[in-house]
Amino acid sequence: DPSRGRTFLLRAYYPEAPGNYPTIIFSHGFGADMSAFDQTSRDWAARGYVIVHPTHADSFRYLDPAAPPGGKEALLQLVLGRKGPLRRLRSGQNGDARLAALLENPFYLSSRLADIAFVVSLLDAGSGIDNNLHARVRRGGYGMAGHSLGAYTSAVIAGARLATPERNPSPSLMAKFSAVMAISSQGSGSMDLTPDSFGAITRPFFAITGTQDWGLNG
């Protein structure tokens, strides 16, 4: 993305047969990358969808040097260390305040929204990624989906209003999406979401989670 001097990886799934297919952008969870939800995307592609996965700046494998706090090594030690919050979540315990505070940093949402806006600009233009992909993209009325922090990203694109107005995505970006899926998203009381946030969503919005999806704060 020349406007930010940022290079990031994409993975796309699409049907083999030529055609004009509805297109979904999928935003991975915090620390993941373009390989997330591989089986889901293969299944969707087999059913006639194009799915594009950007790798965001918070990916542990492909961490952007600009990602706070304190550079890559400091972030990895904080989150993945032996007593780090992600280790706790993976062992079936609730997370802790360190990870919750980390995710409150507006960098993570703003950089994700910029990634998605750039991908949309390339899809709209029909060039800049891969010719086989562009030949199959149905332009306009995209779908947005994501998991965890990607679900939060998806929810604000769907229209969930944040308490800090300047953190909300631009209306022009939101207008690019006609339907949204949020897998294990956040609720009110964290990450600038309030009890009134979701009442602002007017487009089709599907949210799903599980009974053992541990919350950061219990």
Side-chain angles (χ1 to χ4, degrees):
D1 180 359
S3 69
R4 295 181 290 157
R6 170 162 156 72
T7 299
F8 60 96
L9 297 171
L10 296 174
R11 180 170 291 170
Y13 304 81
Y14 50 79
E16 287 188 45
N20 190 232
Y21 299 101
T23 300
I24 300 165
I25 297 177
F26 192 99
S27 180
H28 63 72
F30 180 75
D33 55 55
M34 61 186 176
S35 64
F37 282 71
D38 170 80
Q39 291 179 324
T40 301
S41 291
R42 290 180 185 276
D43 185 72
W44 288 351
R47 296 169 188 269
Y49 292 87
V50 171
I51 309 94
V52 182
H53 290 247
T55 297
H56 296 303
D58 54 79
S59 167
F60 297 153
R61 183 175 295 175
Y62 306 107
L63 189 69
D64 191 297
K72 181 174 182 177
E73 293 306 319
L75 179 61
L76 293 182
Q77 183 58 40
L78 168 65
V79 177
L80 293 178
R82 189 166 56 88
K83 296 182 179 180
L86 281 192
R87 298 289 189 198
R88 289 168 52 81
L89 284 172
R90 289 170 180 169
S91 65
Q93 304 174 64
N94 289 330
D96 61 29
R98 291 174 297 168
L99 183 55
L102 184 70
L103 296 179
E104 294 283 352
N105 191 317
F107 167 85
Y108 293 109
L109 176 61
S110 64
S111 65
R112 283 166 169 263
L113 294 175
D115 290 345
I116 292 164
F118 181 60
V119 171
V120 166
S121 72
L122 297 179
L123 296 177
D124 282 350
S127 62
I129 304 178
D130 175 84
N131 290 336
N132 289 318
L133 169 70
H134 288 301
R136 290 164 171 78
V137 169
R138 183 180 300 171
R139 289 172 182 82
Y142 301 113
M144 183 72 213
H147 169 243
S148 193
L149 188 55
Y152 172 69
T153 306
S154 300
V156 298
I157 285 176
R161 298 293 78 200
L162 301 176
T164 309
E166 56 267 28
R167 294 187 182 181
N168 290 305
S170 68
S172 61
L173 177 60
M174 294 167 61
K176 296 291 184 178
F177 295 93
S178 59
V180 176
M181 173 186 281
I183 305 168
S184 299
S185 188
Q186 289 70 20
S188 63
S190 66
M191 298 175 71
D192 229 23
L193 293 167
T194 72
D196 298 324
S197 291
F198 297 94
I201 296 175
T202 58
R203 73 203 71 209
F205 179 72
F206 179 73
I208 185 171
T209 191
T211 55
Q212 295 188 42
D213 179 23
W214 304 101
L216 291 177
N217 295 313

